[in-house]
């Protein structure tokens, strides 16, 4: 039973015990805007690396903020600045004229509501550009931003990609920024970790398990993706626990492996676990992410 994670950093960490140097994958760790914030970049730069990692080529930036949910203003401000800086980094320091933000997920399922909640807090400006022209952006330092939360197929009867392609075709944004809730391997990363990538969103990623890729190839526009892990696969929790037990009791290693393979796989299939305070956490995290994106929108 393989662990489920949408974080490239956790996939890379799974090789660590064997000290494997992965061909085509580079890892860089940095200190963030505040002490305690850690920024890790996983760069998959060739097909060997993509095959080993099971992810498309590109940059995956992970911001870890263990103290984020303490709701300290200093930490929140540092996180917002970090989001702004890392989005700009993925764009090679250059800004675009227009951005379409897509909030993926189901707002009626708390752990999957990150995307729609972020969209609610965004500074959208496209209507102001249409009213006052490009001089509005030049005067106030804003970018041309539109946003939507397409919901899920069970709510609309339409594939999310059908709506996104139609909107992109009509509005012609220079960049699409997709926001989605993710699954993590480690419980301590829930609601305290942010992943940004220039690869877009792959089929099977996110809680909603998107069935179609949302990337430059599929929509004809560059796509950045920002995600926060809000759930852990139930089987992953058990697997981690059994692995720790097997390390402390090597004589039970075989029994632990048989338990995971034969007895537990079917029982926990498609089961996810989220923290009991997810209602408060998702609101706070979504506001922080939105404010970080707003900083990017407003910065000159």
């Amino acid at each position: 039973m393989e662990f489920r994670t949408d974080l490239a950093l956790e996939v890379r960490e799974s090789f660590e015990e064997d000290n494997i140097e992965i061909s085509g994958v580079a890892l860089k760790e940095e200190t963030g805007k505040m002490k305690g914030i850690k920024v890790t970049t996983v760069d998959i730069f060739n097909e060997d690396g993509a095959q080993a990692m099971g992810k498309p080529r590109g940059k995956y930036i992970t911001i870890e903020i263990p103290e984020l949910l303490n709701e300290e203003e200093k930490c929140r401000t540092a996180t917002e600045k970090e989001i702004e800086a890392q989005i700009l980094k993925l764009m090679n320091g250059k800004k675009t004229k227009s951005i379409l933000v897509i909030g993926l997920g189901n707002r009626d399922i708390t752990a999957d509501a990150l995307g729609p909640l972020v969209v609610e807090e965004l500074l959208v400006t496209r209507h102001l550009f249409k009213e006052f022209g490009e001089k509005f952006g030049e005067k106030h330092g804003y970018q041309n931003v539109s946003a939507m939360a397409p919901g899920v197929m069970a709510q609309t009867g339409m594939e999310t990609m059908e709506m996104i392609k139609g909107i992109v075709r009509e509005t012609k944004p220079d960049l699409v920024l997709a926001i989605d809730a993710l699954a993590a391997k480690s419980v301590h990363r829930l609601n305290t970790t942010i992943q940004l990538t220039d690869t877009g969103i792959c089929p099977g990623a996110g809680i909603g398990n998107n069935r179609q890729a949302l990337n430059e190839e599929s929509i004809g526009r560059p796509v950045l993706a920002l995600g926060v892990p809000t759930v852990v696969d139930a089987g992953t929790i058990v697997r981690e626990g059994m692995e720790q037990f097997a390390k402390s009791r090597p004589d039970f290693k075989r029994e632990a492996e048989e338990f995971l393979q034969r007895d537990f796989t079917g029982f926990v299939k498609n089961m996810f676990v989220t923290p009991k305070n997810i209602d408060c956490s998702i609101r706070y995290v979504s506001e922080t992410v939105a404010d970080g994106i707003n900083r990017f929108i407003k910065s000159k």
Side-chain angles (χ1 to χ4, degrees), residues 3-284:
F3 64 81
R4 160 74 192 279
T5 180
D6 294 315
L7 300 179
L9 175 60
E10 292 188 330
V11 177
R12 180 62 185 86
E13 287 175 344
S14 68
F15 294 88
E16 190 172 322
E17 291 183 0
D18 298 324
N19 295 316
I20 295 175
E21 284 293 329
I22 307 175
S23 175
V25 179
L27 185 72
K28 181 180 180 182
E29 296 181 352
E30 303 171 273
T31 302
K33 299 288 183 183
M34 187 183 96
K35 183 180 179 182
I37 295 179
K38 180 180 176 183
V39 180
T40 306
T41 301
V42 177
D43 188 2
I44 304 175
F45 53 85
N46 64 27
E47 289 305 317
D48 289 341
Q51 185 173 359
M53 293 284 289
K55 291 185 175 294
R57 293 172 59 178
K59 286 185 172 62
Y60 299 81
I61 299 174
T62 306
I63 308 170
E64 297 178 83
I65 322 103
E67 304 301 319
L68 178 60
L69 296 182
N70 291 342
E71 300 190 13
E72 295 181 2
E73 190 62 30
K74 182 179 179 181
C75 182
R76 175 166 174 168
T77 300
T79 302
E80 293 168 5
K81 291 181 178 179
E82 200 67 63
I83 292 171
E84 175 193 1
Q86 297 307 327
I87 292 176
L88 195 58
K89 180 179 178 181
L90 286 176
M91 297 177 65
N92 297 317
K94 299 178 182 179
K95 291 200 172 185
T96 59
K97 291 184 178 180
S98 60
I99 303 172
L100 169 63
V101 181
I102 304 293
L104 298 170
N106 187 341
R107 69 173 65 246
D108 295 328
I109 299 177
T110 308
D112 195 28
L114 178 74
L117 291 177
V118 168
V119 165
E120 288 180 4
E121 302 295 330
L122 284 181
L123 175 64
V124 293
T125 59
R126 185 172 181 268
H127 59 299
L128 298 174
F129 274 78
K130 290 178 72 68
E131 180 72 22
F132 303 108
E134 293 296 327
K135 290 184 179 180
F136 170 81
E138 295 172 3
K139 180 180 179 179
H140 298 283
Y142 292 160
Q143 295 182 72
N144 187 327
V145 179
S146 55
M148 69 165 295
V152 294
M153 191 173 184
Q155 296 170 321
T156 65
M158 294 177 283
E159 288 279 3
T160 301
M161 279 298 296
E162 293 176 346
M163 289 184 277
I164 295 174
K165 286 180 178 179
I167 292 170
V168 168
R169 184 169 58 249
E170 292 297 320
T171 63
K172 299 178 175 60
D174 296 317
L175 174 73
V176 174
L177 174 59
I179 314 296
D180 200 7
L182 307 176
K185 172 188 175 185
S186 303
V187 174
H188 72 269
R189 285 196 168 107
L190 295 183
N191 300 308
T192 60
T193 304
I194 301 167
Q195 176 176 267
L196 299 101
T197 177
D198 58 6
T199 64
I201 296 180
C202 306
I207 296 178
N209 288 329
N210 305 282
R211 287 178 288 183
Q212 297 183 33
L214 174 53
N215 53 32
E216 185 171 5
E217 184 179 352
S218 64
I219 66 172
R221 291 289 189 277
V223 179
L224 301 185
L226 184 155
V228 176
T230 59
V231 299
V232 174
D233 184 280
T236 299
I237 296 177
V238 175
R239 182 182 179 88
E240 289 290 292
M242 293 298 289
E243 286 178 350
Q244 292 300 317
F245 175 73
K247 286 180 182 178
S248 63
R249 296 289 302 274
D251 50 318
F252 281 96
K253 183 177 181 180
R254 177 180 295 180
E255 286 81 354
E257 290 177 349
E258 290 179 354
F259 173 77
L260 291 172
Q261 292 174 1
R262 298 180 184 178
D263 301 329
F264 209 75
T265 304
F267 180 70
V268 300
K269 187 177 181 180
N270 295 324
M271 291 182 65
F272 289 96
V273 179
T274 195
K276 64 180 181 180
N277 62 341
I278 186 62
D279 299 80
C280 296
S281 298
I282 197 71
R283 177 62 67 175
Y284 185 77

